Amino acid sequence: MELRAVIIDDEQKGINTLKILIAKHIDAVKIVAESISASTGIIHIENYKPDIVFLDINMPEMNGFELLEKLSWKGFNLIFTTAHQEFGLKAIKNNAVDYLLKPIDYRDLQFAINKIKNNLEKNKIDYTALLNTINQPQKKKIIINSKFGIESVDANQIIFLESKSNYTLIWLSNYKTILTSKTLKEFELQLSAPEMNFMRVHNSFLINLNHVSRYLKEQETIIMINEQLIPLAKSKKSSFFEWLQI
């Protein structure tokens, strides 16, 4: 039995990579339509009524979850594709949806397709439950290796992170600090989702915008809720002012 698939990804290279992996490693899956536009993707889904939809989560026109809400026909098996791990992926898994983390590993692709082939009916999705779960606030736990061991920290407890050469000093809301060998750049990638509300405001500082107390314009300094002063780099002003809505 041949499964018909639609790919929706705002980057053409993402579509091309997935098509190559399917052609090389997957049997009996035919790509019937593709789109770099979410709105055109909706039209493709409604018209082709595919067996599988590969759907990027983070797209500029509308994200993958918003696209799902606009569909009138949802009789397909859904596989999310994403470059980030921040979109409640555990919740996605728990709702019988699969996902592929970019760059996509062909073995993960094979596993997802085989799961669909082996159990087509049970892979039908309760989209209402999925969207309700996704729309709930997600607590993001950050795993940190410190000299005391491995610590699990709620991201919202982090006030800011400070680069210390190849180390990072993490300032928490309980006045505790944690020093870890993970670099600030690595944390920036981990906390990059918009809903996480973190911003790199300086080469040495990544702040939690939820914990900003005030901004001193003359000193070009951000004051956090723990009264720590954070310099605002000139290159980051526009992004920070956009967040301030000024």
Side-chain angles (χ1 to χ4, degrees):
M1 174 184 176
E2 186 174 68
L3 300 177
R4 300 158 66 252
V6 168
I7 304 175
I8 304 169
D9 190 320
D10 67 305
E11 294 187 355
Q12 186 62 49
K13 65 180 181 180
I15 294 176
N16 294 341
T17 297
L18 185 53
K19 288 169 66 177
I20 291 170
L21 290 174
I22 290 172
K24 188 173 181 180
H25 299 287
I26 306 298
D27 294 325
V29 171
K30 179 181 179 181
I31 307 302
V32 295
E34 63 184 66
S35 177
I36 59 171
S37 162
S39 56
T40 303
I42 291 173
I43 295 171
H44 286 332
I45 292 172
E46 303 288 1
N47 288 342
Y48 285 96
K49 294 181 169 51
D51 301 296
I52 303 171
V53 171
F54 294 95
L55 179 59
D56 189 15
I57 295 179
N58 194 9
M59 298 183 289
E61 181 184 359
M62 67 182 82
N63 66 39
F65 307 123
E66 292 168 332
L67 183 150
L68 288 175
E69 290 177 329
K70 294 180 181 297
L71 290 172
S72 58
W73 184 81
K74 300 175 181 177
F76 52 84
N77 296 276
L78 176 62
I79 300 178
F80 278 121
T81 60
T82 178
H84 306 286
Q85 299 191 49
E86 73 276 3
F87 288 97
L89 295 184
K90 184 176 180 181
I92 292 173
K93 273 289 193 185
N94 289 342
N95 282 274
V97 184
D98 218 326
Y99 70 92
L100 299 172
L101 194 61
K102 298 177 183 178
I104 296 172
D105 187 300
Y106 76 91
R107 289 162 294 191
D108 294 334
L109 175 63
Q110 287 175 331
F111 181 83
I113 296 298
N114 286 337
K115 188 166 69 173
I116 290 173
K117 287 180 177 179
N118 293 336
N119 217 344
L120 279 172
E121 288 305 313
K122 288 188 178 180
N123 278 318
K124 296 302 181 185
I125 301 158
D126 183 344
Y127 286 93
T128 301
L130 168 65
L131 293 170
N132 285 342
T133 303
I134 293 302
N135 289 330
Q136 291 175 356
Q138 298 292 322
K139 285 190 175 181
K140 178 73 174 182
K141 291 289 186 180
I142 304 297
I143 304 302
I144 301 170
N145 286 307
S146 71
K147 64 179 181 180
F148 301 107
I150 299 174
E151 303 186 46
S152 177
V153 176
D154 188 336
N156 198 46
Q157 293 180 334
I158 299 174
I159 298 177
F160 66 91
L161 304 93
E162 181 180 2
S163 175
K164 296 288 186 180
S165 187
N166 292 325
Y167 292 83
T168 299
L169 185 63
I170 302 171
W171 296 72
L172 302 177
S173 56
N174 59 2
Y175 298 99
K176 177 182 176 183
T177 59
I178 301 174
L179 185 65
T180 175
S181 59
K182 199 171 184 178
T183 65
L184 190 62
K185 180 64 176 177
E186 291 176 284
F187 280 111
E188 183 181 13
L189 292 172
Q190 191 173 3
L191 298 167
S192 62
E195 66 269 22
M196 298 298 291
N197 223 20
F198 280 77
M199 182 184 292
R200 186 79 171 261
V201 295
H202 186 275
N203 189 49
S204 298
F205 293 94
L206 176 65
I207 69 170
N208 185 340
L209 294 170
N210 295 325
H211 295 313
V212 171
S213 176
R214 56 194 184 277
Y215 173 66
L216 303 180
K217 188 174 293 186
E218 290 185 2
Q219 290 90 343
E220 297 184 342
T221 299
I222 301 165
I223 302 180
M224 307 304 290
I225 60 169
N226 62 353
E227 296 300 320
Q228 290 291 321
L229 306 182
I230 309 295
L232 177 62
K234 290 182 179 180
S235 61
K236 303 296 183 179
K237 276 187 178 180
S238 60
S239 297
F240 185 69
F241 289 168
E242 183 180 349
W243 175 77
L244 287 175
Q245 297 184 341
I246 61 174

